Amino acid sequence: MISNIIPGLIMILTSFLLPTIPQYFRHPAMLLSVGLSALSLFNGYGTFLEWDVLGLNLILYQSDSLTFPFSIIFHIAAVLVIIFSWHSKNLMEHMATLAYAGSAIGALHAGDFFSLFIWWEATALTSVFIVFAGNTKAARDAAMRYLIIQVSSGVLLLIGACLLLYQTGNHNLTVLDLTTDFGIFIFIAFGIKAAFPFLNGWLQDSYPESSVTGTVALSAFTTKLAIYALARTFPGTDSLIWIGAIMTAFPVFFAVIENDLRRVLSFSLNNQLGFMVVGIGIGTELSLNGTVAHAFVHIIYKALLFMSMGAVLYRAGTTKASELGGLYKYMPFTTIFCIIGAMSISAFPLFSGFVAKSLIMSSLGGMGMVLIYFILFFASAGVLEHSGIKIPYFAFFAHERKSKVKEAPINMLIAMGIAAVLCIGIGVFPKYLYQILPYTVEYQPYTIDHVISQLQLLVFAIIAFLFLVKFKLYPSEIRSIVLNSDWFYRKMLPGIGKPLFKKIGLLTELIYENLRFFFKLILNKSQKFSNSSYIKVTTPSFAATILISILFIMLLIVLI
Amino acid sequence: MKKNDLKSMGKSFTKYILIIGALLILLDFTFHRHEYFSFAEIYGFPAFFGFISFVFIVLLGKWLRKFLMRKEDYYDQ
C-alpha cells in the first residue's frame, strides 16, 4: 500500500537510480518521485508505519497538523529546486539534492527521537555533497567543516535520545523542557541546525560556497527542519523568545557590511529564523501558527532570492556586490523576480511575508511583550535593509554595467516565476495559507492600522536609505569578508591549538632526546664492558648486559 | 540620456517614495491608528521608528567594520 511508504523515501530511492537514467530523463524522473512522495499528503493524519526493532518501537511514519504544512512546503521547495537546476548536468548534486529533500521530508514524519536521529544524520550526510558540489577548494573546505558541525548536532541528539529512553523509558517525540539533561542535549542539537546565536557560523560559512543551484536546495530544508523539531518539542520555552530576538537583530549588522550577496542572504536567513524561534518561544496557538506560516512563506521567498542570486552568479560569474551593478538592463525578468522576493521578505502588504509575520507580531503585542515586540519591529527595518534593498540594489542597479550578460536560462525563469506567483498569491489570499496551519485561528492581517503602520515603517526606512546614499553615508562595497562565529573554530582554536601543540611537540622531543642519550650511554658502557680486554673468562655478552641493565631500571622503578 | 538612465530612475523613484511617505503621514491624521502599545499611536511613530532604525543599523554596521572586516584571504593565511 502506498499509504504505508514513508514520504520522501521514494525520492531517496530515485536518487540512487539516477546514474542509470539517461541525462535527458533525469529531471522528469526527479519530479515524478517528488510527485509520488507528495501523494502522502492525501493520507490524512495518523500513525501509518511502526517497526519493532531491538526492543524499541520506532514510529517511522506519522503525520498530524504540524507535519502537514511543513510537508507541503518541503515538496514545493523540492519541485522549485529541480526546475531551477534543469539545465545542470551535475549528477552528484542532483543525487544529493533529491536524497536530501527526501531525508528532510522523512524526518518530518518520524514519530520518535531515534527515527528522527537517523533522518537528522541523513540530511547532514546528503547535504554535505551539495556543498562539495560547489567544486572549489573553498567549497570543499567548507563542506568538511559543515559535516563536522552537522554530525555533532546528530550526536548530541542521539545522546539526548538515549538519556531520555534510559531515564523515562519513553523515546517518542514529546514536549520537553530545559530542566532535564536530555532536554538540554536535544535543545542544543536542534539549536545547532536552527543556527542559534554563536552556533550559526556553519550556515554563513557553507551556503554561499555551494553551487548556483545547490544553495537554493540548502536554504530550504535543514534550518526549517530544526524549526519544526523545536516547535514540536519545545513550544513555550521562554528562553527561545530571547534567543530568537537576538537572532533577528544581530545578523542584520553583519549583513550590512558583507560583500558577497549570497552570504548577505545567509545572514538574512538567520534573521528570519529568529522570528520563527520567537514564535515557538511564546508558544500560544496564534504564535505557533505564526511560526509555521512564516517558515512556509520564508522557504518560498528565500528560495526565490537565492535563485535570483544564483542566476546572477551563473551569468555574471560572481555575487560580490563590489563587482556587480547595472544588471537590470540585461536580466530584466530576474530583476523583477528578485524585487518580488525582496518585497515579500520585507513584509510589504500584499506580499507573503506580511501575512505570516503579522501573526507573530500580533501574538507578541497581545501578550504585552513590549521590548521583544520592538526588537522584532527594529529587525523588520533590518530585513528591509539587507534583503529588501541591498540585494536588488547592488546586483541590478547601483551603477551602470560595462560588459553585457545574458538573461537567466528559461528553466531558472520558470522556477523563479512560480515562486514569485506564490509570494504574491499567498499575500493576496492569505486564507489558503491559514487553512493549513496547525490550529484554527480567526485572523485578519489586513486591518487599516496594521497596513499603515507597516507601510510607514518600510517607506520611511527606504527614505532613510535614499538619505544615506545622497549624503554618501551608506557604506560602499569593499572586497572583504566579515568575521562571524565560525571565527572561533577557524581562527581562534587553531591560533591557540597550533602553538600549544608545537610546545607539546618540543617537550616530547626533549624528553625523547634525553631518553635516547640515556640508552646510548647504557649501550656504550655495556659494549665497553663486554669488550674489555682485562676480563676474559666470565664476561657477560653484550645482550646480557643490556638485559641486566633494563631489569635493574625496572627494579628501580618498582621500588620507587 | 542613455548614460543617465540609472540617475533619472533614481530621481523619479525618490520623488515617488517621498510623495508616498508624505501621504502616509497625512493619512495618520485622518484616523486613530490602533496599536498594541499606546506610545506607538503617536502620529508618525512607525515612520520615525523605521527611519531611525535604518540609519542606526547602517551606521553601526559601518562602525563595526573596524572590528569585523578582514581581507578576502584572511582564512587562507
Side-chain angles (χ1 to χ4, degrees):
Chain A
M1 269 298 283
I2 189 123
S3 65
N4 284 339
I5 299 172
I6 307 169
L9 191 63
I10 192 149
M11 291 160 65
I12 298 171
L13 296 176
T14 309
S15 85
F16 291 127
L17 288 177
L18 278 186
T20 65
I21 301 172
Q23 163 69 31
Y24 197 71
F25 296 107
R26 273 181 199 151
H27 284 92
M30 286 160 82
L31 273 188
L32 183 70
S33 73
V34 178
L36 288 174
S37 168
L39 287 177
S40 64
L41 293 169
F42 298 101
N43 279 351
Y45 301 155
T47 303
F48 300 98
L49 185 64
E50 293 177 71
W51 187 30
D52 283 307
V53 60
L54 301 170
L56 283 177
N57 178 252
L58 299 184
I59 302 168
L60 296 176
Y61 177 14
Q62 63 142 26
S63 67
D64 58 24
S65 59
L66 186 60
T67 62
F68 184 63
F70 277 97
S71 187
I72 295 178
I73 192 61
F74 277 14
H75 281 99
I76 292 176
V79 170
L80 288 177
V81 173
I82 292 168
I83 298 174
F84 187 74
S85 66
W86 205 280
H87 66 282
S88 158
K89 293 188 173 78
N90 189 336
L91 177 63
M92 180 170 93
E93 191 179 298
H94 295 331
M95 289 175 70
T97 303
L98 194 60
Y100 171 45
S103 309
I105 292 167
L108 291 178
H109 296 92
D112 65 278
F113 280 106
F114 288 101
S115 325
L116 180 66
F117 161 75
I118 293 164
W119 291 115
W120 201 256
E121 292 290 46
T123 57
L125 293 177
T126 47
S127 58
V128 73
F129 285 99
I130 303 179
V131 187
F132 258 121
N135 208 18
T136 57
K137 185 182 178 293
R140 285 189 289 272
D141 291 349
M144 289 318 294
R145 292 191 291 272
Y146 174 86
L147 184 64
I148 292 169
I149 305 276
Q150 297 292 310
V151 170
S152 312
S153 161
V155 172
L156 289 172
L157 176 60
L158 183 62
I159 296 172
C162 290
L163 286 172
L164 174 73
L165 179 67
Y166 178 69
Q167 291 177 16
T168 65
N170 175 35
H171 61 284
N172 288 348
L173 286 183
T174 44
V175 174
L176 302 174
D177 57 48
L178 295 178
T179 54
T180 52
D181 48 4
F182 49 79
I184 291 170
F185 274 108
I186 293 171
F187 189 74
I188 297 172
F190 292 169
I192 291 174
K193 286 216 186 193
F196 279 3
F198 293 105
L199 302 176
N200 66 331
W202 63 270
L203 200 162
Q204 291 85 15
D205 179 21
S206 59
Y207 284 13
E209 298 299 346
S210 184
S211 72
V212 166
T213 49
T215 312
V216 183
L218 290 169
S219 77
F221 302 108
T222 298
T223 48
K224 262 61 73 182
L225 177 60
I227 293 294
Y228 156 79
L230 281 170
R232 178 157 293 277
T233 40
F234 295 100
T237 304
D238 288 340
S239 51
L240 282 175
I241 299 177
W242 277 104
I243 291 173
I246 292 169
M247 285 167 76
T248 60
F250 270 67
V252 163
F253 300 106
F254 291 77
V256 177
I257 46 177
E258 175 60 53
N259 188 38
D260 184 342
L261 294 180
R262 290 204 300 172
R263 195 157 273 130
V264 171
L265 284 177
S266 306
F267 280 116
S268 153
L269 170 53
N270 215 163
N271 142 290
Q272 293 289 300
L273 295 169
F275 284 93
M276 299 171 213
V277 170
V278 169
I280 299 168
I282 303 167
T284 60
E285 291 191 346
L286 182 65
S287 76
L288 287 170
N289 267 355
T291 293
V292 176
H294 201 239
F296 194 97
V297 297
H298 159 89
I299 287 178
I300 302 169
Y301 57 63
K302 186 53 77 180
L304 176 54
L305 286 166
F306 268 121
M307 285 193 279
S308 68
M309 285 306 110
V312 167
L313 178 65
Y314 187 65
R315 288 306 196 201
T318 182
T319 49
K320 285 176 185 160
S322 53
E323 329 286 299
L324 289 172
L327 285 173
Y328 77 101
K329 257 184 203 164
Y330 308 106
M331 305 178 82
F333 290 107
T334 308
T335 308
I336 292 168
F337 292 141
C338 180
I339 290 173
I340 291 173
M343 290 181 79
S344 302
I345 196 171
S346 310
F348 274 90
L350 299 181
F351 289 86
S352 60
F354 180 78
V355 301
K357 208 188 268 177
S358 304
L359 291 164
I360 297 172
M361 295 306 277
S362 293
S363 47
L364 275 173
M367 295 184 79
M369 297 180 178
V370 59
L371 185 57
I372 304 283
Y373 182 88
F374 281 100
I375 290 176
L376 263 58
F377 207 47
F378 163 81
S380 303
V383 176
L384 177 85
E385 198 287 322
H386 54 68
S387 295
I389 294 176
K390 183 168 180 171
I391 296 289
Y393 177 73
F394 281 118
F396 301 106
F397 304 101
H399 42 77
E400 299 289 349
R401 189 182 169 85
K402 292 192 181 75
S403 57
K404 277 188 179 178
V405 287
K406 278 202 234 162
E407 176 58 280
I410 183 75
N411 63 300
M412 289 190 176
L413 292 178
I414 291 172
M416 287 190 272
I418 295 171
V421 167
L422 286 171
C423 281
I424 297 173
I426 293 170
V428 177
F429 305 106
K431 65 172 182 188
Y432 296 109
L433 173 65
Y434 293 164
Q435 274 171 8
I436 58 166
L437 295 181
Y439 304 101
T440 7
V441 175
E442 276 298 312
Y443 185 78
Q444 177 50 259
Y446 290 111
T447 62
I448 179 119
D449 308 300
H450 198 173
V451 171
I452 296 292
S453 172
Q454 181 72 2
L455 277 178
Q456 275 196 10
L457 174 87
L458 294 173
V459 169
F460 275 82
I462 296 174
I463 292 173
F465 169 73
L466 296 170
F467 165 84
L468 288 167
V469 170
K470 173 93 183 160
F471 292 97
K472 304 214 176 334
L473 288 166
Y474 196 85
S476 55
E477 323 87 283
I478 302 175
R479 292 191 70 149
S480 62
I481 59 155
V482 177
L483 298 185
N484 189 18
S485 63
D486 55 345
W487 177 83
F488 290 104
Y489 56 82
R490 289 178 73 184
K491 210 72 183 180
M492 193 189 83
L493 281 183
I496 297 170
K498 270 185 188 163
L500 194 71
F501 279 111
K502 213 174 178 180
K503 287 253 162 68
I504 294 173
L506 281 177
L507 197 69
T508 26
E509 210 164 299
L510 197 73
I511 295 170
Y512 182 70
E513 278 290 317
N514 279 324
L515 279 178
R516 207 160 54 177
F517 175 75
F518 185 63
F519 279 113
K520 233 179 198 168
L521 200 74
I522 296 175
L523 217 71
N524 282 343
K525 289 284 172 210
S526 27
Q527 212 156 16
K528 239 181 211 167
F529 186 59
S530 58
N531 290 344
S532 54
S533 51
Y534 44 87
I535 308 170
K536 284 273 158 50
V537 193
T538 52
T539 316
S541 72
F542 175 52
T545 320
I546 289 186
L547 269 176
I548 292 164
S549 313
I550 291 173
L551 282 172
F552 180 69
I553 293 168
M554 281 172 73
L555 188 73
L556 271 181
I557 291 171
V558 170
L559 282 178
I560 292 164
Chain B
M1 187 61 206
K2 264 260 164 182
K3 264 192 174 169
N4 292 325
D5 264 6
L6 267 176
K7 265 195 178 161
S8 60
M9 267 169 69
K11 268 189 186 157
S12 52
F13 181 74
T14 311
K15 198 172 81 187
Y16 287 119
I17 280 289
L18 286 175
I19 292 170
I20 294 170
L23 281 176
L24 283 169
I25 294 289
L26 286 177
L27 253 175
D28 229 13
F29 288 101
T30 61
F31 76 105
H32 180 75
R33 185 165 39 78
H34 296 277
E35 295 274 354
Y36 291 106
F37 307 102
S38 54
F39 62 86
E41 293 181 349
I42 303 168
Y43 295 111
F45 178 84
F48 177 76
F49 190 86
F51 190 91
I52 294 295
S53 302
F54 196 97
V55 172
F56 175 74
I57 288 165
V58 171
L59 295 185
L60 185 65
K62 206 171 152 184
W63 181 71
L64 282 173
R65 266 188 169 171
K66 278 186 190 169
F67 310 99
L68 295 174
M69 194 170 77
R70 293 289 185 280
K71 281 187 182 153
E72 278 180 321
D73 61 350
Y74 173 72
Y75 283 115
D76 302 328
Q77 287 164 5

